[in-house]
Every structure is written in structure tokens, then in C-alpha cells.
């Protein structure tokens, strides 16, 4: 028998071991998976894999019937195949190899060993601890079936897919809140975690993000006009949950927005206000008109130069220092008939966000404020409408779904029929008078899919008025806007906007002599903006983008009317300019108490040719005798550029969950100016672009406030102070000739301004008795100090502006007797605005002259007004053709003869002061509203 060496024996043992391993491996590879599946139901793929392997699968059939998958396997082991198959689903799996069984679970992970520290040993770092970042896990609130049915709770929602490798103590829940009736986003929806202090709110686009503890959470939502809801959410990972909510119509009679009532304390931005269009429903206003801008005037820090004055003055700023937007496009004059009525249909208007302190970084071009007015999306489920008939106006809005739950159209129209009233008055001078206006708006909304939405708006308004027999005045607004909102990713949203705005006014003069003429003015701008928002994490939210505008201004033209007119044609050369900006902002959460909103914006402006510009001798006043040169600029050539960085910084510190301190500083540039030498603005004021001789305005503002909520946000109290400085603000020489002046810079003065004040507001948000009381102490002062007397006002000292009103009190109350009947009241008190009086006469060269005081040295009488209203709703039967609402109101109940202006005439050599008033007697009105 042959003998084998030790080496040969060892080699034989090695070969035997290799054969055993090879055989075992091949036995394991018996479960290699192959196959190709094209959009196949997940259930079918799982059963096919089960048939090709030795393993049995255990699962609930409902879990695997909702997904379809496209995938292919090529001799792939079971674990690898299942990893890829379930990677984009909510399913996890667990394999028992000895028993050849596979268990599928939804969202959760099955662990086959306990973590270290479970029985008291030192814990492993992977164990979830709910106390990191100061996070406190909520006390569990479990709803049984009876509670779920009684409170109409939504089904439990599981968010994300658990992973042992990425276990955390908390996860981010984000999404969008949508009105199920209209399809439009719900702004300022309060989202609160029950039994905790965790709360957030949706932004203007309905988006929200909140950090929740891992595992079970009960969340509640509330907003004005939206049914309260509660739902249970189990967090396994970061994920999305869109909140589709029903309207709650029984809340529409509240005066004050209840939604996100804590935002006044929790937001970082100072000086911001939100007004819902429904807030004007129960407030008695002139001739029964619902007017969101008049409601804004009742808030601290916002006023106007007087009753019947166009425009608003915000924190001591001029009316041209407000950026007024309608669906992102600029509206230059949002009022009708000298500011008495708003030029916005109340039934298509959703609301307005007002920024009078630290405005968001995306806005620019104005020094004082932003009024961001939004229209509603049309109803995407059924045809709906709303309208009103009042003493002088009629309003109507119709909502038509184009594709159910996807797209809609809303059409609004309103008009005045005051002409017949003027002609019926027993006053011969008014028989040929005319006072009419109309406006219309169309908005298209299309929810293309869950990630893309398009909104397109078109708006037009026109006023015609003629109080004298020889002149017909008209002015109009036209705008178009298109906006595309897109969800780029789970954490990034974008918005692309393009729009065009046009404002014109004209005068048709038909006199007794051969001097008939037609006069026109117009300003047009085209705007483009692209902005993005990225939620980097729970502590950082970035807002960034760029914007541009192109201006074209017709400074004025006059043409003869008729062949017999002796008026010569004249046309001032057009002005053109380009404005642009890039911006980035970060809402930085330092900790649960300290929130900072930091933004940087770079603004740029260039006045463009074709144009000619004068230069003037240095150290001499600007007039015809000091012209040094005339420069010609070619088409598109830069005449002059202005701009620079703009800082937006605001911060909030929570002293307690319902008490905070806020502070903010910002600076801004303004490149447009209004030209008017009237004491109050009018619709025929002209806009002027900055150029070689008229510099851009600059503004700086600092604000500090304290904010407090009481009784679970039923009451809110705020006290905020501000200080503003302005450079290059405009005023005019005495007797300035502004319109159709090719060299208007010779009539203009530029100087400094300052404004400061304190604003107090106490508001009751809920209950049968609700409303607010606002008080403002403010000053607005200007200084024009130049080397030469003709360019100096009041010896170069600060003097009150035309709209300086130190004391301003507004009281809005609403008392609901029943669900159908309520009383409302509105009281306003304001210090009389400044005025320049004649203080004597003197004789020179055998002629008498009047000597005037320093500019704005005196004041007209104080203004106060009380309005009362009674509101009666129709019955609340569910199956009615239409819901009705009657408003009975009396404007100026006390009959106060508040002066609109004071002027002086000479009668038999004696100077007499006269005043004009708009509404000097009580004005009753009855308005019928209906909704279907």
C-alpha cells in the first residue's frame, strides 16, 4: 500500500475543505433572483420572487397593492434584490434564514437584539434619546375610535421609512396646506403639536415645516375660515404631509384673523400686519363699501393726508414710498374717486400683507412699506359667486372650475352709478357733473400637479370725473401677472414671475374759447423675478433670487382738441430706466428663543437714453441762467446709475412662549419720485425717474418692540417704536411749474427727512365682542438747507411734512348679538395736518401783497369721526340657493365738518380763510350682499 507524505495529506484536506465550501456556497446561491419587471404591481413582483426562491413571504396585502415598480434582477442574491425593490417604498423586511421566511413590515424596523444599555449598562450612541437639542417629547395623546368619530379625526398617517442606520430623536415634517374647496394654499395656518409648545405656521404659499419627535404625535390645525382639524402622525423619518382642509364658514363674521394668532409674538420681522378681506365685512365704511385699504388705515403707523386724499402715509413716509402689489405686479393707484373707494374688488381679494418695518429681502424700490395684495384662486369644485349692491356701486365675482380639483377661473367686476345721483341733486352747477368708475379682474389658476402651479391675473380700472363743466379727468390702471410656483425638491420651492403694469391719466378740456386740448401722461413697467426658498435644516431657511424692471415713462403731452383750437402741440421726451436686484436672506434659528432674519440685497438702477440732460454750474442755484452744458445720450446709453447694498436685519427673542422682544434695522433705495405741489396727493400726480440731476432717495430705519399674547391668544398687545432717516426726499419751490416742464429739476429741491414714533395696539381676536384699539404718536419732519435762499425752506430748519399728525387713535369694535345679528363701530381721531397761513399784508410799489408764515407752521382743526353699522345675515339653512347679508351703516354719525383743506381768498381787500370738506353730514347707506 502506498504511503503519502504529510504535505500530500495536508493538500488533500485543503481540497476537501474547498469542495465543502464550494458546495455550500452553491447551495446558498440557489436563491439567486433574475427577472425584468416593467411598471409591474409590487404584489406581483413579490409573489414571483417567492416562487423562484425557497423562501415564504408574510405581509398584509394592502401594503403591497398601492405601488408599481420598474426593475430588473440578474442573478442577484435575495437581500440585494429586496433592498433595491423596497428602496422607494415604505416597506422594510426581515429574513429568518433558518426557517426560510421573509417578513414585510410597513415603515418600522424589526430588531433581533437589544441595544447596549437596555438593562442599565452604558448606552450605545445609536439609542434614541428625546432630550437632545433641548427637545421634549410630547406626552402621548391617543384617540380611541369614539373620539375619532366624534371629532372627525383623519386616519393615522405614517411618515417616512425607519432605518436602523439613521435613527434620530426627531424628524422634519413638511408639506403644503390647501383649501379643498378652492384649491388655493392656506396662509397663516397654525399647526400645533398637542400637549407641547411646538407650533409653526404656513407661509404665503401654504408651505410649512416643523420638527417633530420620533414616533407618535398628535397635531392640530386652525385658521380663520378653515375647519379646525386634528390628526395622528407617526414619524419614522423626514417626510411630507399635505394638509387638505375644509372651509369653516361659520367663522367669517370674526373681525380679526385668528389663524396663526401667535405670529405677532413668534415672527422675527418687525412692523408686519396681515389683513384678511373678510375683516372689512363688518366695519362701517363710507357708502357701505368694503375696503381693505381703509381697514389698513385703522392700524397704528398708517394714515392718509386727509379724507379724500389718494394714497397712504406709513411711518411718516410720502405716499410714493409705498410699494403696492397686486398679485406681484405694481398697481400705481389702488383707489377710485380721490381715495374714497378702493380699486380692488373685495370678493376677489384674499388679503394683504403689510410690511412697515423690516420688509422681506425680496422687496425693494421703496423706502416706507410694502402692501402685498393677493387675490383668491377660483373654486375648483363647483361654480360659486359673491356680490353686493350698494347706494353708488355694485360688485360681483364669479368662480368657475375649468377642470375639477385642478383649474379654475375667477372673474370680478364692479362699477359706480353715481352720475344719476349728481344730476338729480338740486344744484345747477352739478347737473353736468360726472363721477364714475369701474374695475375688472380675471384670474386663472391651474394646479398642474403636486409640484407645479400656475396663476395668471389681468386687471383694469378706469375713473372719469368732471366737477366743472369744461374739464373731464380720467385715470386708469392696467396690469398683467403670470406666476409659476414649483416644488424643486422636498426642501426647495421656486417661483418665477413676469408682469407688466401701466398707469395713465388724462384731461380733456372743452372751454368757451379756442383753447380746447387733450393732455396725457403715462408710466409703464415690465418686471421679472425669480426667487427660491430652501429649508436647509430646522435652523436655516434660505430665501434668494434676482429681479429686474424696465421703466418707460411718458412725462406728458398736450394736443389741440378740434380744428379751431389755438393750443400748440407739445410732447416731453420719454424717460427710460432699468432697475435690478439680487438678494439672499436666511431665517436663522439660534435656539428655541432666539430667531434672526438676516438679508442682503444689492439694488441697481440706470437711467437710459435716448435723452438730453442739462448740467449746471457748481455752487449756483439751478435755473436757466446757470446752465453749463447740454449732454445728448444715445438709445440705451447709461445716463446715470444709482444703487448699493441694502441690509435687512431683524431678530426676535422669546422671554416666555407668549411674550417676545423684536428689533430690526434696514436701509433701502428708491429710484422713482412723484411730482406734485399740492398739499395732498391726487390721481394726476406724475412719476419721475432718477436721472443726472435728480438723485435716488435713501432711507434708514430702526425699530424695537415688545409683543404679548393673553388668554391663549385671545388678546394681543404690542408696543413698537421706530426711527427713520431719509436722504434726497423731494419738495418744490414755491409756485413750481411741474407738468410739461422739460427741465423740471429747476423746480425741485432735495433734502433730508426724519420720522419717529411709537405705536400701540391692543386686539381682541375672539368672542362675541371683538376688535382693536390702536394709538400712534409720530412725527414726520423735512429739512431743505441749501446755500441759496431760493433753494432753502424755513431757513434750513426741520419743519412738519404735509402729513405730520402727532396723535392718531383708531377704535374698531364688533358685537355679535346672535349668529345673524351684530353691531359694529369705528371711531377715528387725528391731529389736524400742517398748513401754511397768511399772517399779514404789505404794500410794495403801490400794490398789496400777502405775507405767509413759515411752511406748515400752523394746523387745520383736528379730525374725528364716528361710524356705526348694523349687520344682518340671512338664515343659515344649508341647502339655500344663496346666502344673504345686509349692512346698514351711517358714516360720520356726529356730522363732524372735518376740513379736507383750508384755503384763502381776498374779499373787498380782506383775506378770508375758507375750508372744504368731503363728508360734512352723516351719510347713511344700505348694502345687500349675497353669496352662492
Amino acid at each position: 500500500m502506498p504511503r503519502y507524505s504529510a504535505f500530500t495529506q495536508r493538500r488533500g484536506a485543503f481540497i476537501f475543505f474547498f469542495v465543502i465550501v464550494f458546495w455550500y456556497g452553491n447551495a446558498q446561491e440557489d436563491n439567486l433572483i433574475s427577472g425584468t419587471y416593467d411598471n409591474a404591481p409590487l404584489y406581483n413582483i413579490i409573489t414571483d420572487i417567492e416562487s423562484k426562491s425557497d423562501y415564504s413571504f408574510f405581509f398584509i396585502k394592502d401594503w403591497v397593492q398601492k405601488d408599481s415598480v420598474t426593475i430588473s434582477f440578474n442573478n442577484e442574491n435575495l437581500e440585494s434584490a429586496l433592498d433595491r425593490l423596497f428602496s422607494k417604498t415604505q416597506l422594510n423586511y426581515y429574513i429568518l434564514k433558518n426557517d426560510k421566511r421573509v417578513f414585510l413590515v410597513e415603515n418600522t424596523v424589526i430588531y433581533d437584539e437589544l441595544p447596549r444599555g437596555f438593562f442599565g449598562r452604558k448606552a450605545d450612541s445609536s439609542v434614541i434619546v428625546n432630550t437632545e437639542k433641548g427637545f421634549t417629547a410630547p406626552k402621548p395623546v391617543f384617540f380611541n375610535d369614539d373620539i375619532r368619530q366624534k371629532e372627525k379625526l383623519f386616519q393615522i398617517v405614517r411618515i417616512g421609512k425607519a432605518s436602523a442606520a439613521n435613527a434620530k430623536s426627531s424628524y422634519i415634517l413638511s408639506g403644503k396646506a390647501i383649501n379643498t374647496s378652492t384649491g388655493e394654499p392656506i396662509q397663516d395656518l397654525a399647526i400645533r403639536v398637542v400637549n407641547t409648545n411646538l407650533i409653526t405656521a404656513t407661509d404665503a404659499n401654504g408651505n410649512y415645516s416643523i420638527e417633530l419627535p420620533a414616533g407618535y404625535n398628535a397635531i392640530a390645525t386652525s385658521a380663520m375660515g378653515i375647519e379646525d382639524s386634528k390628526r395622528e402622525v407617526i414619524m419614522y423619518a423626514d417626510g411630507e404631509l399635505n394638509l387638505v382642509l375644509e372651509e369653516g364658514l361659520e367663522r367669517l363674521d370674526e373681525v380679526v384673523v385668528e389663524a396663526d394668532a401667535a405670529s405677532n409674538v413668534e415672527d422675527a420681522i418687525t412692523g408686519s400686519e396681515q389683513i384678511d378681506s373678510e375683516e372689512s365685512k363688518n366695519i362701517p365704511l363710507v357708502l357701505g363699501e368694503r375696503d381693505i385699504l381703509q381697514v389698513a388705515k385703522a392700524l397704528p403707523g398708517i394714515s392718509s393726508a386727509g379724507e379724500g386724499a389718494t394714497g397712504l402715509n406709513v411711518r411718516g413716509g410720502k405716499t410714493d414710498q409705498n410699494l403696492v402689489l397686486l398679485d406681484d405686479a405694481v398697481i400705481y393707484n389702488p383707489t377710485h374717486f380721490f381715495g374714497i373707494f378702493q380699486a380692488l374688488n373685495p370678493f376677489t381679494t384674499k388679503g394683504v400683507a403689510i410690511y412697515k418695518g423690516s420688509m422681506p429681502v425680496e422687496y425693494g424700490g421703496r423706502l416706507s412699506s410694502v402692501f402685498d395684495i393677493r387675490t383668491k384662486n377660483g373654486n375648483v369644485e363647483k361654480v360659486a359667486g359673491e356680490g353686493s349692491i350698494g347706494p353708488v356701486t355694485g360688485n360681483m365675482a364669479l368662480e368657475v372650475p375649468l377642470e375639477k380639483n385642478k383649474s379654475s377661473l375667477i372673474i370680478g367686476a364692479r362699477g359706480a352709478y353715481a352720475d344719476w345721483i349728481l344730476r338729480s341733486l338740486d344744484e345747477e352747477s352739478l347737473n353736468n357733473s360726472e363721477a364714475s368708475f369701474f374695475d375688472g379682474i380675471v384670474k386663472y389658476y391651474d394646479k398642474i400637479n403636486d409640484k407645479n402651479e400656475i396663476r395668471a391675473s389681468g386687471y383694469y380700472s378706469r375713473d372719469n370725473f368732471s366737477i366743472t363743466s369744461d374739464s373731464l379727468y380720467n385715470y386708469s390702471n392696467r396690469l398683467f401677472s403670470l406666476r409659476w410656483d414649483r416644488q424643486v425638491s422636498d426642501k426647495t420651492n421656486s417661483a418665477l414671475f413676469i408682469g407688466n403694469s401701466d398707469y395713465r391719466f388724462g384731461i380733456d378740456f372743452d372751454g368757451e374759447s379756442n383753447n380746447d386740448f387733450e393732455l396725457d401722461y403715462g408710466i409703464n413697467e415690465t418686471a421679472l423675478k425669480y426667487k427660491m426658498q430652501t429649508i436647509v435644516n430646522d435652523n436655516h431657511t434660505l430665501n434668494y433670487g434676482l429681479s429686474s424692471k424696465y421703466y418707460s415713462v411718458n412725462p406728458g403731452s398736450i394736443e389741440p382738441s378740434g380744428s379751431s383750437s389755438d393750443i400748440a402741440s407739445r410732447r416731453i421726451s420719454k424717460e427710460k430706466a432699468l432697475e435690478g436686484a439680487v438678494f439672499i436672506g436666511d431665517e436663522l434659528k439660534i435656539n428655541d428663543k432666539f430667531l434672526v432674519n438676516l438679508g442682503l440685497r444689492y439694488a441697481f438702477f440706470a437711467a437710459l437714453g435716448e435723452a438730453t440732460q442739462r448740467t449746471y454750474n457748481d455752487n449756483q442755484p439751478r435755473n436757466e441762467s446757470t446752465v453749463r452744458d447740454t449732454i445728448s445720450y444715445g438709445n440705451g446709453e447709461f445716463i446715470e446709475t444709482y444703487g448699493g447694498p441694502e441690509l435687512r436685519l431683524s431678530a426676535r427673542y422669546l422671554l416666555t412662549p407668549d411674550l417676545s422682544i423684536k428689533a430690526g434695522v434696514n436701509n433701502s433705495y428708491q429710484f422713482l419720485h412723484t411730482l406734485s405741489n399740492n398739499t395732498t396727493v391726487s390721481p394726476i400726480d406724475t412719476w419721475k425717474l432718477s436721472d443726472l440731476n435728480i438723485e435716488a432717495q435713501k432711507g434708514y430705519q430702526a425699530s424695537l418692540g415688545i409683543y404679548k399674547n393673553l388668554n391663549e391668544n385671545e388678546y394681543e398687545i404690542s408696543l413698537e417704536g421706530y426711527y427713520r432717516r431719509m436722504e434726497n426726499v423731494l419738495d418744490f419751490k414755491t409756485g413750481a411749474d411741474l407738468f410739461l416742464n422739460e427741465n423740471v429739476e429747476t423746480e425741485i429741491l432735495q433734502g433730508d427727512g426724519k420720522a419717529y414714533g411709537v405705536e400701540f395696539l391692543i386686539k381682541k381676536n375672539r368672542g362675541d365682542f371683538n376688535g382693536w384699539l390702536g394709538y400712534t404718536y409720530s412725527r414726520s419732519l423735512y429739512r431743505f438747507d441749501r446755500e441759496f435762499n431760493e433753494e432753502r425752506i424755513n431757513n434750513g430748519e426741520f419743519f412738519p411734512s404735509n402729513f405730520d399728525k402727532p396723535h392718531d387713535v383708531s377704535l374698531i369694535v364688533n358685537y355679535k348679538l346672535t349668529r345673524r345679528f351684530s353691531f359694529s363701530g369705528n371711531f377715528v381721531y387725528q391731529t389736524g395736518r400742517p398748513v401754511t397761513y397768511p399772517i399779514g399784508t404789505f404794500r410794495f410799489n403801490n400794490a398789496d401783497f400777502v405775507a405767509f408764515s413759515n411752511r406748515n407752521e400752523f394746523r387745520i382743526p383736528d379730525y374725528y369721526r364716528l361710524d356705526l353699522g348694523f349687520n344682518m345675515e340671512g338664515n343659515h339653512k344649508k341647502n339655500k340657493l344663496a346666502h344673504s347679508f345686509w349692512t346698514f351703516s351711517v358714516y360720520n354719525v356726529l356730522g363732524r365738518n372735518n376740513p379736507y383743506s383750508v384755503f384763502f381768498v381776498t374779499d373787498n381787500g380782506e383775506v378770508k380763510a375758507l375750508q372744504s370738506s368731503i363728508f360734512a353730514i352723516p351719510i347713511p347707506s344700505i348694502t345687500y350682499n349675497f353669496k352662492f
Side-chain angles (χ1 to χ4, degrees):
M1 220 175 149
R3 300 182 61 186
Y4 298 95
S5 66
F7 172 77
T8 302
Q9 292 178 353
R10 287 196 299 271
R11 183 175 61 180
F14 176 80
I15 293 173
F16 177 77
F17 176 77
F18 178 79
V19 169
I20 295 299
V21 171
F22 179 78
W23 174 83
Y24 183 78
N26 282 336
Q28 296 302 305
E29 294 301 322
D30 286 343
N31 290 298
L32 294 179
I33 307 300
S34 295
T36 299
Y37 308 92
D38 185 11
N39 200 30
L42 186 60
Y43 173 78
N44 294 352
I45 300 175
I46 293 173
T47 55
D48 191 46
I49 293 176
E50 185 177 35
S51 67
K52 294 178 179 179
S53 69
D54 297 335
Y55 284 83
S56 299
F57 284 72
F58 298 87
F59 54 87
I60 295 177
K61 194 172 182 180
D62 289 343
W63 294 349
V64 297
Q65 286 186 323
K66 56 190 176 183
D67 295 318
S68 295
V69 178
T70 297
I71 195 170
S72 62
F73 307 111
N74 184 16
N75 290 327
E76 198 162 343
N77 66 58
L78 183 63
E79 291 189 18
S80 174
L82 295 183
D83 283 340
R84 292 204 299 119
L85 179 62
F86 299 141
S87 64
K88 295 183 179 180
T89 72
Q90 301 298 316
L91 297 176
N92 282 318
Y93 68 90
Y94 182 77
I95 301 177
L96 280 177
K97 295 182 179 180
N98 294 335
D99 296 333
K100 300 288 187 179
R101 289 188 289 177
V102 178
F103 297 92
L104 304 186
V105 290
E106 193 173 36
N107 301 102
T108 57
V109 173
I110 295 177
Y111 294 91
D112 53 13
E113 63 180 16
L114 295 174
R116 283 188 298 162
F118 187 85
F119 292 109
R121 294 188 297 273
K122 187 177 180 180
D124 189 273
S125 60
S126 63
V127 176
I128 297 175
V129 180
N130 276 320
T131 56
E132 71 176 45
K133 301 181 182 177
F135 214 91
T136 303
K139 180 181 178 182
V141 179
F142 297 101
F143 301 111
N144 59 38
D145 291 339
D146 292 337
I147 294 177
R148 286 193 178 93
Q149 185 174 6
K150 180 180 179 181
E151 299 195 18
K152 300 179 182 179
L153 294 179
F154 292 82
Q155 290 184 345
I156 295 177
V157 180
R158 293 169 172 82
I159 302 297
K161 176 179 177 179
S163 170
N166 296 309
K168 296 192 299 183
S169 64
S170 61
Y171 298 103
I172 301 297
L173 179 66
S174 60
K176 189 169 189 175
I178 301 170
N179 185 321
T180 186
S181 299
T182 65
E184 65 181 15
I186 302 172
Q187 182 179 0
D188 292 333
L189 177 76
I191 303 169
R192 179 175 55 86
V193 182
V194 179
N195 281 357
T196 75
N197 59 356
L198 299 176
I199 189 171
T200 189
T202 56
D203 62 16
N205 297 316
N207 298 313
Y208 75 92
S209 177
I210 186 171
E211 184 176 9
L212 298 179
Y216 178 88
N217 295 271
I219 63 175
T221 66
S222 62
M224 179 180 178
I226 300 297
E227 272 194 4
D228 291 350
S229 75
K230 292 180 181 178
R231 67 192 71 209
E232 298 159 292
V233 177
I234 301 177
M235 299 297 297
Y236 297 99
D238 296 343
E240 291 186 13
L241 175 63
N242 291 330
L243 308 174
V244 182
L245 303 172
E246 299 283 348
E247 291 184 348
L249 298 179
E250 70 277 2
R251 289 193 179 190
L252 294 183
D253 55 356
E254 295 289 344
V255 170
V256 181
V257 176
E258 184 178 352
D260 193 23
S263 64
N264 64 309
V265 170
E266 296 177 344
D267 288 349
I269 294 179
T270 61
S272 64
E273 303 283 353
Q274 298 278 345
I275 304 176
D276 192 277
S277 182
E278 288 293 333
E279 291 196 43
S280 61
K281 180 179 178 181
N282 293 333
I283 298 177
L285 299 172
V286 62
L287 297 174
E289 277 288 298
R290 291 166 65 171
D291 193 328
I292 198 170
L293 298 180
Q294 292 293 333
V295 176
K297 287 169 58 175
L299 295 172
I302 305 175
S303 64
S304 66
E307 198 168 50
T310 301
L312 298 173
N313 304 107
V314 179
R315 289 190 168 179
K318 297 177 65 176
T319 57
D320 66 351
Q321 294 176 351
N322 305 315
L323 179 64
V324 183
L325 302 172
L326 178 61
D327 286 346
D328 297 299
V330 173
I331 179 170
Y332 279 89
N333 187 356
T335 63
H336 286 304
F337 202 56
F338 296 96
I340 296 176
F341 304 105
Q342 70 173 11
L344 309 168
N345 192 313
F347 303 127
T348 62
T349 302
K350 180 182 179 182
V352 57
I354 305 172
Y355 303 99
K356 55 186 179 176
S358 299
M359 63 184 70
V361 70
E362 69 176 272
Y363 301 112
R366 299 294 191 274
L367 299 189
S368 289
S369 70
V370 176
F371 287 73
D372 188 7
I373 304 169
R374 298 288 173 179
T375 58
K376 298 189 296 185
N377 295 333
N379 195 311
V380 295
E381 289 193 337
K382 61 183 179 179
V383 175
E386 194 169 3
S388 69
I389 301 173
V392 295
T393 62
N395 301 336
M396 183 65 189
L398 184 65
E399 303 176 41
V400 181
L402 301 179
E403 184 175 346
K404 191 170 183 180
N405 297 323
K406 185 177 183 295
S407 62
S408 65
L409 196 67
I410 184 169
I411 304 170
R414 59 198 293 261
Y417 31 82
D419 289 355
W420 68 272
I421 297 177
L422 292 173
R423 286 190 285 269
S424 65
L425 295 175
D426 188 19
E427 177 60 48
E428 184 177 353
S429 62
L430 296 178
N431 288 343
N432 296 321
S433 297
E434 178 179 343
S436 64
F437 61 78
F438 69 89
D439 60 69
I441 187 168
V442 178
K443 182 177 182 180
Y444 171 75
Y445 167 75
D446 191 344
K447 183 179 181 181
I448 301 173
N449 51 45
D450 289 340
K451 296 183 181 295
N452 293 274
E453 293 180 350
I454 288 179
R455 297 172 177 83
S457 300
Y459 170 85
Y460 183 78
S461 71
R462 184 177 175 88
D463 280 62
N464 294 298
F465 58 95
S466 176
I467 305 302
T468 61
S469 60
D470 55 10
S471 298
L472 175 64
Y473 294 80
N474 64 80
Y475 62 93
S476 64
N477 293 279
R478 174 185 56 77
L479 64 83
F480 168 78
S481 68
L482 176 64
R483 176 172 173 144
W484 174 26
D485 289 291
R486 180 170 179 263
Q487 184 178 346
V488 180
S489 66
D490 292 344
K491 295 187 176 182
T492 299
N493 297 299
S494 70
L496 175 65
F497 160 77
I498 184 170
N500 179 267
S501 302
D502 188 89
Y503 176 68
R504 299 177 183 273
F505 75 78
I507 302 174
D508 296 336
F509 181 80
D510 185 8
E512 297 180 357
S513 303
N514 296 332
N515 59 350
D516 301 345
F517 63 84
E518 295 178 354
L519 185 147
D520 291 294
Y521 168 86
I523 180 171
N524 184 281
E525 73 168 60
T526 300
L528 177 68
K529 180 192 290 186
Y530 184 69
K531 63 177 182 178
M532 301 185 73
Q533 182 186 73
T534 297
I535 303 174
V536 180
N537 52 46
D538 192 51
N539 297 325
H540 292 272
T541 301
L542 293 178
N543 292 278
Y544 50 97
L546 51 87
S547 62
S548 64
K549 286 185 179 182
Y550 175 76
Y551 296 100
S552 177
V553 179
N554 169 22
S557 64
I558 186 169
E559 299 289 342
S561 179
S563 58
S564 60
S565 176
D566 296 331
I567 298 295
S569 297
R570 188 179 183 187
R571 182 177 295 274
I572 307 300
S573 299
K574 279 190 174 183
E575 300 178 17
K576 296 183 293 184
L578 184 67
E579 179 183 332
V582 294
F583 54 87
I584 183 170
D586 184 10
E587 186 172 78
L588 175 61
K589 182 180 179 183
I590 307 298
N591 52 46
D592 289 341
K593 293 185 176 182
F594 193 25
L595 181 66
V596 176
N597 197 303
L598 175 63
L600 183 63
R601 175 187 178 92
Y602 190 90
F604 172 80
F605 176 89
L608 304 176
E610 186 177 0
T612 58
Q613 296 275 286
R614 283 178 169 183
T615 61
Y616 297 85
N617 293 329
D618 297 334
N619 301 320
Q620 290 186 351
R622 289 178 181 169
N623 54 48
E624 296 295 327
S625 64
T626 62
V627 176
R628 182 175 60 198
D629 193 9
T630 299
I631 305 174
S632 296
Y633 296 89
N635 187 29
E637 185 178 355
F638 282 15
I639 297 173
E640 186 63 275
T641 60
Y642 297 97
E646 297 179 344
L647 175 67
R648 310 288 167 81
L649 175 62
S650 57
R652 174 268 289 161
Y653 186 81
L654 285 175
L655 300 174
T656 67
D658 55 9
L659 175 65
S660 69
I661 294 177
K662 300 183 190 179
V665 294
N666 67 279
N667 73 295
S668 53
Y669 290 85
Q670 179 168 329
F671 310 109
L672 281 79
H673 324 264
T674 53
L675 304 181
S676 173
N677 54 5
N678 298 321
T679 55
T680 58
V681 291
S682 74
I684 58 173
D685 291 342
T686 61
W687 290 80
K688 177 75 175 69
L689 300 174
S690 297
D691 56 22
L692 189 64
N693 294 299
I694 299 178
E695 299 182 50
Q697 300 181 56
K698 301 177 184 179
Y700 311 86
Q701 181 175 203
S703 57
L704 177 66
I706 186 167
Y707 308 82
K708 172 69 175 177
N709 286 349
L710 300 170
N711 196 21
E712 296 184 350
N713 303 325
E714 180 179 357
Y715 297 89
E716 61 180 78
I717 303 173
S718 64
L719 181 67
E720 185 170 330
Y722 66 90
Y723 181 82
R724 298 182 60 207
R725 290 299 300 263
M726 294 164 281
E727 298 177 7
N728 300 324
V729 293
L730 267 66
D731 211 321
F732 310 95
K733 298 178 181 178
T734 302
D737 181 16
L738 300 176
F739 196 66
L740 294 178
N741 187 338
E742 292 182 345
N743 304 299
V744 71
E745 68 271 8
T746 61
E747 308 288 351
I748 288 176
L749 303 176
Q750 289 194 276
D752 301 323
K754 65 179 179 180
Y756 54 89
V758 177
E759 301 166 357
F760 171 77
L761 178 68
I762 180 169
K763 183 185 293 187
K764 188 176 188 294
N765 294 322
R766 300 193 298 271
D768 292 338
F769 179 79
N770 51 64
W772 73 80
L773 171 66
Y775 168 73
T776 305
Y777 173 79
S778 64
R779 298 304 310 272
S780 175
L781 308 170
Y782 285 158
R783 177 178 63 188
F784 297 89
D785 187 14
R786 295 294 180 90
E787 182 180 352
F788 306 99
N789 288 331
E790 65 181 270
E791 297 183 338
R792 186 185 300 132
I793 299 177
N794 288 6
N795 297 317
E797 301 294 330
F798 277 105
F799 65 92
S801 67
N802 294 329
F803 38 86
D804 175 67
K805 298 180 176 183
H807 301 283
D808 189 329
V809 179
S810 294
L811 175 65
I812 302 290
V813 295
N814 181 49
Y815 180 69
K816 184 165 62 176
L817 298 173
T818 67
R819 292 186 64 186
R820 294 182 57 196
F821 304 104
S822 64
F823 287 100
S824 53
N826 176 30
F827 177 77
V828 180
Y829 168 82
Q830 295 175 341
T831 305
R833 65 177 180 81
V835 67
T836 304
Y837 280 173
I839 56 176
T841 60
F842 63 93
R843 191 170 183 81
F844 180 74
N845 287 340
N846 296 321
D848 292 326
F849 295 89
V850 176
F852 286 86
S853 67
N854 287 333
R855 187 176 295 191
N856 293 345
E857 184 176 355
F858 297 95
R859 294 183 180 273
I860 63 175
D862 292 350
Y863 178 98
Y864 62 84
R865 192 189 77 243
L866 174 66
D867 314 320
L868 296 176
F870 176 70
N871 310 295
M872 182 177 69
E873 293 199 40
N875 64 62
H876 292 85
K877 292 181 179 179
K878 183 176 181 180
N879 297 318
K880 291 177 62 178
L881 178 63
H883 181 74
S884 61
F885 181 85
W886 288 90
T887 299
F888 306 87
S889 65
V890 181
Y891 185 85
N892 193 14
V893 170
L894 303 177
R896 166 72 170 171
N897 188 16
N898 289 302
Y900 169 69
S901 64
V902 175
F903 58 96
F904 302 89
V905 298
T906 301
D907 185 12
N908 295 325
E910 182 181 0
V911 178
K912 295 182 178 180
L914 302 176
Q915 77 174 38
S916 62
S917 300
I918 304 299
F919 299 106
I921 60 173
I923 308 295
S925 65
I926 301 176
T927 303
Y928 174 70
N929 302 269
F930 58 91
K931 184 175 184 179
F932 60 89

